[in-house]
Amino acid sequence: MKKIALAIHGGCGVMPEDSMTASDWEAARNDLAAALGAGYAVLQSGGRAVDAVEAAVVVMENSPHFNAGHGAALNENGVHELDASIMDGATLGAGAVSAALAIRNPIKAARRLMDDGRAVLLTGAAADRFAEANGLATEPQSYFTTQKRVEALEAMKAHAAAGTDGTENEKHGTVGAVALDAAGHLAAATSTGGYTNKPEGRVGDSPIIGAGTYARDGVCAVSGTGKGEFFIRHVVGHEIASRIAYLRQDLKTAAGAVVNHDLAVHEIGAGLVAIDAEGEIAAPYNTPGMFRGWVISDGKAFVATHETIYEVMV
Ligand code: ASP
């Protein structure tokens, strides 16, 4: 069989053990495994990388454990504004939505827009209307809200009032996937609620092609997580691709340099998953943990949140 591979992330941060119950940690790992399973099933049956990353992200958007779709972060007004994007490395086709209020699975809307081809990025009410017009499910805001995100917003507002800094956990998170399919094509997808207490209308890196999401056949595919403003300024996805294409760096060197040098100097939590044309995977992060998982050609699949890596069945 030709090489296929998939890597996913569910955000990075401090992630102290006591920030979730043992059963919640296990449930989050199970949802990572389910996301890997959904994406890998596409690749294994000879499907396209772009379909695999969409399928994996949908599972994580539906999970309450990650900051995307159901379980997304709240902005300063207690509103969910959802960002997502997808890119097909084969064609450089891309689609994205930002500040959407009602799309159940923002990554599906990004994909529809990519296939539609009339625009790369739709924002706000227009993104919601585009999703509805294309038959995608919409939800009331309450669908996206979890108790954890309500508490995180309260905590961030208290920090703001006291002039103190919140934990990375209270602040952000994102989900994403990158894949290589049997035809040698690469793709990336990313979806997020952004960071807790973000200003109304703020757009992060996740829907910005080249920053939070990037894929180019023969080079790499990248999906990032961390304070989006810095991912935008460093054009992280494209920067990693450029290091590989122009400097001839290997994937791990290129991705590590951006996370551990370029982004680290800003003292922000940052992580990403990336895959190259050979199916090599890199998942660097500069925080104590990152929800992540990967599956390679032999079908061996792994998930992790901190240092311990768990082999899972997909
Ligand atoms: N990158 C996301 C954003 O800035 C948040 C995160 O990944 O933590 O919107």
Side-chain angles (χ1 to χ4, degrees), residues 9 11-12 67 83 171-174 192-195 198 202-207 224-229 231:
H9 71 79
C12 68
N67 175 6
D83 294 345
K171 285 185 206 163
H172 58 78
T174 283
T192 190
Y195 69 83
K198 65 183 181 180
R202 176 264 186 186
V203 175
D205 61 312
S206 304
T225 173
K227 189 78 185 290
E229 282 65 17
F231 279 67

mmCIF file of all heavy atoms in Angstrom, residues 9 11-12 67 83 171-174 192-195 198 202-207 224-229 231, ligand 1:
data_model
loop_
_atom_site.group_PDB
_atom_site.id
_atom_site.type_symbol
_atom_site.label_atom_id
_atom_site.label_comp_id
_atom_site.label_asym_id
_atom_site.label_seq_id
_atom_site.Cartn_x
_atom_site.Cartn_y
_atom_site.Cartn_z
ATOM 1 N N HIS A 9 -4.604 17.508 16.233
ATOM 2 C CA HIS A 9 -4.372 18.117 17.553
ATOM 3 C C HIS A 9 -5.692 18.655 18.078
ATOM 4 O O HIS A 9 -6.628 18.923 17.313
ATOM 5 C CB HIS A 9 -3.310 19.213 17.497
ATOM 6 C CG HIS A 9 -3.763 20.461 16.798
ATOM 7 N ND1 HIS A 9 -4.562 21.412 17.396
ATOM 8 C CD2 HIS A 9 -3.553 20.919 15.536
ATOM 9 C CE1 HIS A 9 -4.801 22.384 16.537
ATOM 10 N NE2 HIS A 9 -4.206 22.109 15.395
ATOM 11 N N GLY A 11 -5.476 21.209 20.575
ATOM 12 C CA GLY A 11 -5.060 22.390 21.330
ATOM 13 C C GLY A 11 -3.947 22.075 22.318
ATOM 14 O O GLY A 11 -3.742 20.933 22.704
ATOM 15 N N CYS A 12 -3.198 23.117 22.672
ATOM 16 C CA CYS A 12 -2.095 22.947 23.623
ATOM 17 C C CYS A 12 -2.284 23.894 24.799
ATOM 18 O O CYS A 12 -3.087 24.822 24.743
ATOM 19 C CB CYS A 12 -0.749 23.212 22.953
ATOM 20 S SG CYS A 12 -0.488 24.928 22.480
ATOM 21 N N ASN A 67 -11.904 23.062 22.032
ATOM 22 C CA ASN A 67 -12.404 24.410 21.747
ATOM 23 C C ASN A 67 -12.695 24.580 20.255
ATOM 24 O O ASN A 67 -11.916 25.178 19.514
ATOM 25 C CB ASN A 67 -11.361 25.422 22.241
ATOM 26 C CG ASN A 67 -11.729 26.850 21.878
ATOM 27 O OD1 ASN A 67 -12.807 27.119 21.350
ATOM 28 N ND2 ASN A 67 -10.813 27.761 22.152
ATOM 29 N N ASP A 83 -14.327 30.095 13.979
ATOM 30 C CA ASP A 83 -13.412 30.227 12.843
ATOM 31 C C ASP A 83 -12.988 28.832 12.365
ATOM 32 O O ASP A 83 -12.721 27.960 13.204
ATOM 33 C CB ASP A 83 -12.114 30.932 13.263
ATOM 34 C CG ASP A 83 -12.290 32.388 13.677
ATOM 35 O OD1 ASP A 83 -13.345 32.972 13.394
ATOM 36 O OD2 ASP A 83 -11.341 32.934 14.285
ATOM 37 N N LYS A 171 -7.458 30.170 28.536
ATOM 38 C CA LYS A 171 -7.415 31.107 27.416
ATOM 39 C C LYS A 171 -7.882 30.521 26.097
ATOM 40 O O LYS A 171 -8.637 31.136 25.390
ATOM 41 C CB LYS A 171 -5.973 31.598 27.221
ATOM 42 C CG LYS A 171 -5.520 32.604 28.241
ATOM 43 C CD LYS A 171 -4.145 33.066 27.847
ATOM 44 C CE LYS A 171 -3.350 33.558 29.013
ATOM 45 N NZ LYS A 171 -1.928 33.626 28.723
ATOM 46 N N HIS A 172 -7.324 29.384 25.699
ATOM 47 C CA HIS A 172 -7.563 29.002 24.296
ATOM 48 C C HIS A 172 -7.648 27.516 24.030
ATOM 49 O O HIS A 172 -8.016 26.746 24.900
ATOM 50 C CB HIS A 172 -6.539 29.674 23.395
ATOM 51 C CG HIS A 172 -5.118 29.364 23.728
ATOM 52 N ND1 HIS A 172 -4.525 28.198 23.386
ATOM 53 C CD2 HIS A 172 -4.181 30.081 24.380
ATOM 54 C CE1 HIS A 172 -3.281 28.209 23.793
ATOM 55 N NE2 HIS A 172 -3.032 29.328 24.404
ATOM 56 N N GLY A 173 -7.322 27.114 22.819
ATOM 57 C CA GLY A 173 -7.466 25.740 22.319
ATOM 58 C C GLY A 173 -7.936 25.816 20.876
ATOM 59 O O GLY A 173 -8.320 26.883 20.411
ATOM 60 N N THR A 174 -7.875 24.722 20.181
ATOM 61 C CA THR A 174 -8.235 24.665 18.754
ATOM 62 C C THR A 174 -8.201 23.192 18.373
ATOM 63 O O THR A 174 -7.594 22.396 19.088
ATOM 64 C CB THR A 174 -7.187 25.458 17.918
ATOM 65 O OG1 THR A 174 -7.437 26.845 18.057
ATOM 66 C CG2 THR A 174 -7.216 25.132 16.440
ATOM 67 N N THR A 192 -11.850 26.429 15.408
ATOM 68 C CA THR A 192 -11.657 26.954 16.763
ATOM 69 C C THR A 192 -12.756 27.923 17.189
ATOM 70 O O THR A 192 -13.435 28.511 16.337
ATOM 71 C CB THR A 192 -10.292 27.693 16.859
ATOM 72 O OG1 THR A 192 -10.017 27.999 18.228
ATOM 73 C CG2 THR A 192 -10.305 28.991 16.067
ATOM 74 N N GLY A 193 -12.885 28.078 18.497
ATOM 75 C CA GLY A 193 -13.699 29.157 19.052
ATOM 76 C C GLY A 193 -12.837 30.365 19.359
ATOM 77 O O GLY A 193 -13.323 31.368 19.892
ATOM 78 N N GLY A 194 -11.529 30.271 19.061
ATOM 79 C CA GLY A 194 -10.613 31.374 19.358
ATOM 80 C C GLY A 194 -10.248 31.368 20.828
ATOM 81 O O GLY A 194 -10.321 30.333 21.479
ATOM 82 N N TYR A 195 -9.854 32.512 21.379
ATOM 83 C CA TYR A 195 -9.482 32.510 22.797
ATOM 84 C C TYR A 195 -10.582 33.118 23.651
ATOM 85 O O TYR A 195 -11.344 33.970 23.195
ATOM 86 C CB TYR A 195 -8.108 33.159 23.033
ATOM 87 C CG TYR A 195 -8.003 34.648 22.820
ATOM 88 C CD1 TYR A 195 -8.368 35.549 23.824
ATOM 89 C CD2 TYR A 195 -7.486 35.173 21.637
ATOM 90 C CE1 TYR A 195 -8.235 36.919 23.649
ATOM 91 C CE2 TYR A 195 -7.348 36.537 21.455
ATOM 92 C CZ TYR A 195 -7.729 37.395 22.468
ATOM 93 O OH TYR A 195 -7.609 38.753 22.281
ATOM 94 N N LYS A 198 -12.094 36.945 24.006
ATOM 95 C CA LYS A 198 -11.555 37.683 22.845
ATOM 96 C C LYS A 198 -12.522 38.816 22.504
ATOM 97 O O LYS A 198 -13.732 38.714 22.759
ATOM 98 C CB LYS A 198 -11.377 36.741 21.646
ATOM 99 C CG LYS A 198 -12.682 36.172 21.088
ATOM 100 C CD LYS A 198 -12.445 35.181 19.951
ATOM 101 C CE LYS A 198 -13.766 34.646 19.413
ATOM 102 N NZ LYS A 198 -13.600 33.688 18.307
ATOM 103 N N ARG A 202 -13.108 39.601 16.602
ATOM 104 C CA ARG A 202 -11.691 39.223 16.443
ATOM 105 C C ARG A 202 -11.575 37.952 15.583
ATOM 106 O O ARG A 202 -12.283 36.989 15.786
ATOM 107 C CB ARG A 202 -11.079 38.991 17.820
ATOM 108 C CG ARG A 202 -9.625 38.489 17.804
ATOM 109 C CD ARG A 202 -9.539 36.983 17.929
ATOM 110 N NE ARG A 202 -8.162 36.519 18.063
ATOM 111 C CZ ARG A 202 -7.810 35.242 18.067
ATOM 112 N NH1 ARG A 202 -8.728 34.304 17.937
ATOM 113 N NH2 ARG A 202 -6.555 34.890 18.185
ATOM 114 N N VAL A 203 -10.692 37.982 14.625
ATOM 115 C CA VAL A 203 -10.445 36.810 13.792
ATOM 116 C C VAL A 203 -9.035 36.318 14.080
ATOM 117 O O VAL A 203 -8.075 37.103 14.042
ATOM 118 C CB VAL A 203 -10.604 37.144 12.292
ATOM 119 C CG1 VAL A 203 -10.229 35.948 11.430
ATOM 120 C CG2 VAL A 203 -12.044 37.578 12.003
ATOM 121 N N GLY A 204 -8.914 35.038 14.396
ATOM 122 C CA GLY A 204 -7.605 34.472 14.722
ATOM 123 C C GLY A 204 -6.901 33.916 13.497
ATOM 124 O O GLY A 204 -7.251 34.224 12.354
ATOM 125 N N ASP A 205 -5.916 33.085 13.769
ATOM 126 C CA ASP A 205 -5.119 32.513 12.683
ATOM 127 C C ASP A 205 -5.782 31.316 12.017
ATOM 128 O O ASP A 205 -5.460 30.985 10.873
ATOM 129 C CB ASP A 205 -3.758 32.047 13.217
ATOM 130 C CG ASP A 205 -3.942 30.959 14.281
ATOM 131 O OD1 ASP A 205 -4.773 31.155 15.189
ATOM 132 O OD2 ASP A 205 -3.269 29.923 14.191
ATOM 133 N N SER A 206 -6.698 30.666 12.737
ATOM 134 C CA SER A 206 -7.228 29.389 12.239
ATOM 135 C C SER A 206 -7.885 29.503 10.870
ATOM 136 O O SER A 206 -7.743 28.590 10.045
ATOM 137 C CB SER A 206 -8.185 28.774 13.257
ATOM 138 O OG SER A 206 -7.533 28.625 14.494
ATOM 139 N N PRO A 207 -8.624 30.593 10.568
ATOM 140 C CA PRO A 207 -9.204 30.695 9.227
ATOM 141 C C PRO A 207 -8.296 31.427 8.234
ATOM 142 O O PRO A 207 -8.723 31.708 7.117
ATOM 143 C CB PRO A 207 -10.488 31.507 9.474
ATOM 144 C CG PRO A 207 -10.113 32.410 10.593
ATOM 145 C CD PRO A 207 -9.120 31.662 11.453
ATOM 146 N N GLY A 224 -2.170 24.755 13.166
ATOM 147 C CA GLY A 224 -1.578 25.298 14.393
ATOM 148 C C GLY A 224 -2.561 25.512 15.520
ATOM 149 O O GLY A 224 -3.783 25.539 15.321
ATOM 150 N N THR A 225 -2.015 25.678 16.733
ATOM 151 C CA THR A 225 -2.789 26.074 17.902
ATOM 152 C C THR A 225 -1.937 26.958 18.806
ATOM 153 O O THR A 225 -0.763 26.663 19.036
ATOM 154 C CB THR A 225 -3.327 24.860 18.690
ATOM 155 O OG1 THR A 225 -3.921 25.334 19.899
ATOM 156 C CG2 THR A 225 -2.238 23.852 19.022
ATOM 157 N N GLY A 226 -2.521 28.043 19.285
ATOM 158 C CA GLY A 226 -1.795 28.995 20.116
ATOM 159 C C GLY A 226 -2.314 30.383 19.815
ATOM 160 O O GLY A 226 -3.197 30.540 18.966
ATOM 161 N N LYS A 227 -1.769 31.385 20.484
ATOM 162 C CA LYS A 227 -2.274 32.747 20.329
ATOM 163 C C LYS A 227 -2.162 33.176 18.859
ATOM 164 O O LYS A 227 -1.081 33.440 18.341
ATOM 165 C CB LYS A 227 -1.477 33.681 21.243
ATOM 166 C CG LYS A 227 -2.024 35.091 21.345
ATOM 167 C CD LYS A 227 -3.226 35.151 22.274
ATOM 168 C CE LYS A 227 -3.868 36.523 22.318
ATOM 169 N NZ LYS A 227 -3.078 37.546 22.982
ATOM 170 N N GLY A 228 -3.334 33.243 18.203
ATOM 171 C CA GLY A 228 -3.388 33.378 16.758
ATOM 172 C C GLY A 228 -2.710 34.613 16.205
ATOM 173 O O GLY A 228 -2.199 34.593 15.080
ATOM 174 N N GLU A 229 -2.700 35.685 16.998
ATOM 175 C CA GLU A 229 -2.105 36.931 16.516
ATOM 176 C C GLU A 229 -0.647 36.695 16.092
ATOM 177 O O GLU A 229 -0.165 37.250 15.099
ATOM 178 C CB GLU A 229 -2.168 38.003 17.605
ATOM 179 C CG GLU A 229 -3.539 38.666 17.759
ATOM 180 C CD GLU A 229 -4.655 37.735 18.235
ATOM 181 O OE1 GLU A 229 -4.369 36.640 18.756
ATOM 182 O OE2 GLU A 229 -5.835 38.102 18.053
ATOM 183 N N PHE A 231 0.657 33.692 15.250
ATOM 184 C CA PHE A 231 0.678 32.784 14.096
ATOM 185 C C PHE A 231 0.441 33.572 12.803
ATOM 186 O O PHE A 231 0.996 33.254 11.763
ATOM 187 C CB PHE A 231 -0.385 31.688 14.246
ATOM 188 C CG PHE A 231 0.041 30.548 15.131
ATOM 189 C CD1 PHE A 231 0.230 30.732 16.492
ATOM 190 C CD2 PHE A 231 0.271 29.282 14.606
ATOM 191 C CE1 PHE A 231 0.625 29.681 17.312
ATOM 192 C CE2 PHE A 231 0.666 28.223 15.409
ATOM 193 C CZ PHE A 231 0.844 28.434 16.765
HETATM 194 N N1 ASP B 1 -5.213 29.717 17.415
HETATM 195 C C1 ASP B 1 -6.475 29.971 18.026
HETATM 196 C C2 ASP B 1 -6.830 31.414 17.849
HETATM 197 O O1 ASP B 1 -5.983 32.256 18.072
HETATM 198 C C3 ASP B 1 -6.541 29.652 19.461
HETATM 199 C C4 ASP B 1 -5.746 28.503 19.944
HETATM 200 O O2 ASP B 1 -5.327 27.653 19.199
HETATM 201 O O3 ASP B 1 -5.479 28.411 21.121
HETATM 202 O O4 ASP B 1 -7.951 31.709 17.554
#
